[in-house]
C-alpha cells in the first residue's frame, strides 16, 4: 500500500471517528486542536485504525503513556529533557511534530504530536 | 431506584455476542414523558439498554474486574418507533476488545411473536435501530488517571441481579 493510499484511509478513519468533513482533514492537521478530538476519541481512532488496516496497536506504542504521572518526565507541567528523549525514542513516527513540541514543551502540547502525518507514518511502519 | 433497562438475556457468547430482551409496557412512566399523548420508548433509553447489554458482555469478558464505562456513542440510527406492548431485542457484538476498552456493533430489533414457539422472544424481527458504542476500561485510561479501587460499575446489587440471568445460560459470573 502506498503512502497516499494509507493516508486516504487514515483520513477516512478520522472522518468517521470525529464527524468532520473530509476536506477539513489535512496532512498537518492536529487531531485534537484542528479536528476537535477529545481524549476518548483517541481510543476510538485506535480501534478504527486496527480494523481498517488489520493491525494491532499495543498500549503506549502510537503515543507515549503515563507522562503526567512520572516526575522525571514532566516537571511543573513541562516535559523534562528525559521526557523529550523518551518521546523521541518511542515515537519516531512523530519526529517532525516533535521539532515543534520542543519549542514549547508543555505537557498539554504533547497531543500536538498526533497529526494525520504522524498517524500515517505510524501505520506505514506497522504495515512494513 | 434500579437503573436496569433490560429484562433478561436470551443469548450470551462470552467475548463475542449477547442478546437481551426488553419488554416495553405502558405502565412504565418514561414512555409518557417524551410526548404525553403519544407514548414511545425514548431513543436515549434504547441506547442505554444497548449499553447495558453490551457493557455486561464486555465486563464478563474480563471477569467483571474492569470498570467498564460507556465512553462514546459513535453512531445511533433509528428506523422505527417503539410503542407500548412491544418487545425489543438488543443484539450486541464485540468488534474489538483489548486492555483499554471495547467497541461494539449493536442492532435493536422487534421480537416477532409466534404461536408455535416457546422461545418466541428469540425471533428477531424488523430493525429498530443500529447503534455503535465504545467502552473504556477506565483504570487503563491513556492519561494514567487513577480511580477508586472499588468497582463502582459492577456493584454488589448489580452482580446480584446478574445471578438471575444464570439460569439457562452457560456463563460463569
Amino acid at each position: 500500500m502506498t503512502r497516499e493510499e494509507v493516508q486516504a484511509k487514515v483520513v477516512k478513519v478520522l472522518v468517521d471517528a470525529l464527524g468532520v468533513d473530509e476536506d477539513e482533514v489535512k496532512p498537518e492537521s492536529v487531531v485534537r486542536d484542528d479536528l476537535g478530538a477529545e481524549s476518548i476519541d483517541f481510543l476510538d481512532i485506535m480501534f478504527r485504525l486496527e480494523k481498517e488496516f488489520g493491525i494491532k496497536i499495543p498500549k503506549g506504542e502510537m503515543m507515549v503513556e503515563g507522562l503526567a504521572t512520572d516526575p522525571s518526565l514532566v516537571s511543573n507541567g513541562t516535559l523534562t529533557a528525559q521526557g523529550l528523549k523518551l518521546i523521541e525514542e518511542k515515537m519516531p513516527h512523530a519526529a517532525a511534530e516533535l521539532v515543534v513540541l520542543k519549542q514549547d514543551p508543555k505537557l498539554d502540547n504533547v497531543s500536538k504530536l498526533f497529526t494525520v502525518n504522524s498517524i500515517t507514518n505510524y501505520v506505514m511502519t506497522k504495515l512494513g | 431506584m434500579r437503573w436496569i433497562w433490560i429484562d433478561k438475556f436470551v443469548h450470551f457468547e462470552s467475548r463475542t455476542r449477547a442478546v437481551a430482551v426488553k419488554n416495553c409496557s405502558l405502565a412504565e412512566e418514561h414512555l409518557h414523558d417524551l410526548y404525553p399523548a403519544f407514548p414511545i420508548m425514548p431513543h436515549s433509553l434504547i441506547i442505554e439498554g444497548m449499553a447495558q447489554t453490551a457493557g455486561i458482555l464486555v465486563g464478563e469478558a474480563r471477569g467483571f474486574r474492569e470498570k467498564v464505562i460507556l465512553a462514546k456513542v459513535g453512531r445511533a440510527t433509528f428506523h422505527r418507533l417503539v410503542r407500548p406492548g412491544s418487545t425489543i431485542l438488543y443484539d450486541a457484538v464485540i468488534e474489538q476488545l483489548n486492555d483499554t476498552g471495547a467497541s461494539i456493533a449493536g442492532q435493536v430489533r422487534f421480537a416477532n411473536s409466534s404461536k408455535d414457539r416457546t422461545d418466541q422472544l428469540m425471533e428477531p424481527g424488523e430493525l429498530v435501530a443500529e447503534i455503535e458504542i465504545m467502552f473504556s476500561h477506565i483504570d487503563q485510561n491513556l492519561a494514567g488517571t487513577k480511580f477508586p479501587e472499588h468497582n463502582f460499575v459492577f456493584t454488589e446489587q448489580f452482580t446480584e441481579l446478574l445471578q438471575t440471568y444464570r439460569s439457562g445460560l452457560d456463563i460463569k459470573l
Side-chain angles (χ1 to χ4, degrees):
Chain A
M1 202 180 298
T2 66
R3 182 180 174 82
E4 287 69 29
E5 289 169 333
V6 170
Q7 185 165 295
K9 287 190 172 191
V10 168
V11 170
K12 178 180 176 294
V13 161
L14 295 172
V15 166
D16 290 343
L18 304 174
V20 292
D21 290 334
E22 193 172 328
D23 57 9
E24 288 180 61
V25 188
K26 312 290 184 198
E28 67 277 12
S29 295
V30 176
V31 175
R32 185 192 70 175
D33 297 357
D34 298 327
L35 304 180
E38 297 178 14
S39 58
I40 202 64
D41 291 320
F42 288 92
L43 182 58
D44 190 13
I45 290 165
M46 285 192 226
F47 275 142
R48 288 174 189 271
L49 288 171
E50 287 186 335
K51 191 176 171 186
E52 184 68 39
F53 293 101
I55 58 175
K56 283 287 172 198
I57 302 177
K59 202 175 171 193
E61 190 177 82
M62 188 157 69
M63 178 171 274
V64 176
E65 293 177 15
L67 287 171
T69 54
D70 188 335
S72 71
L73 304 176
V74 172
S75 176
N76 296 322
T78 302
L79 287 155
T80 62
Q82 193 177 335
L84 288 167
K85 187 165 180 284
L86 182 71
I87 291 172
E88 194 164 13
E89 288 170 0
K90 299 278 187 186
M91 298 179 65
H93 49 279
E97 290 77 7
L98 183 60
V99 172
V100 179
L101 177 65
K102 281 180 174 175
Q103 294 169 8
D104 187 12
K106 290 192 179 67
L107 179 63
D108 192 48
N109 288 339
V110 169
S111 62
K112 292 183 188 297
L113 297 172
F114 215 55
T115 65
V116 176
N117 175 64
S118 68
I119 296 170
T120 303
N121 289 343
Y122 175 77
V123 173
M124 291 293 289
T125 62
K126 295 297 282 187
L127 294 176
Chain B
M1 178 184 174
R2 284 183 176 147
W3 189 252
I4 303 291
W5 293 99
I6 52 180
D7 294 334
K8 69 172 182 178
F9 283 98
V10 291
H11 185 86
F12 202 103
E13 290 173 64
S14 184
R15 297 166 180 259
T16 305
R17 177 174 174 239
V19 183
V21 169
K22 165 66 182 167
N23 293 300
C24 303
S25 167
L26 200 56
E28 296 174 86
E29 284 193 20
H30 62 274
L31 265 77
H32 303 269
D33 292 343
L34 202 54
Y35 305 113
F38 188 74
I40 62 165
M41 180 75 178
H43 290 174
S44 54
L45 291 178
I46 292 176
I47 293 173
E48 176 65 24
M50 177 59 77
Q52 293 191 357
T53 304
I56 291 168
L57 178 64
V58 173
E60 192 273 342
R62 298 285 168 105
F64 297 110
R65 290 183 298 275
E66 296 286 354
K67 302 181 186 86
V68 177
I69 295 291
L70 174 61
K72 184 173 177 178
V73 179
R75 191 186 308 272
T77 307
F78 287 84
H79 304 284
R80 294 292 304 272
L81 296 175
V82 176
R83 305 296 310 277
S86 300
T87 299
I88 54 176
L89 298 171
Y90 292 113
D91 190 337
V93 175
I94 292 182
E95 290 208 310
Q96 282 158 295
L97 171 69
N98 65 21
D99 289 346
T100 49
S103 64
I104 300 289
Q107 286 194 337
V108 185
R109 290 184 178 273
F110 286 115
N112 280 346
S113 59
S114 167
K115 290 177 183 173
D116 303 324
R117 294 179 63 112
T118 54
D119 60 343
Q120 56 185 283
L121 294 178
M122 285 292 288
E123 288 285 334
E126 200 170 356
L127 185 65
V128 172
E130 296 161 282
I131 302 170
E132 292 175 15
I133 49 180
M134 207 181 72
F135 292 91
S136 171
H137 295 146
I138 57 164
D139 288 333
Q140 318 296 334
N141 69 90
L142 300 178
T145 306
K146 299 293 181 192
F147 290 89
E149 199 169 316
H150 173 64
N151 193 331
F152 48 84
V153 179
F154 298 113
T155 61
E156 284 182 21
Q157 183 192 43
F158 191 69
T159 50
E160 280 172 13
L161 282 169
L162 285 178
Q163 301 299 323
T164 63
Y165 298 139
R166 293 186 69 179
S167 61
L169 292 176
D170 185 24
I171 61 170
K172 294 176 182 175
L173 300 177

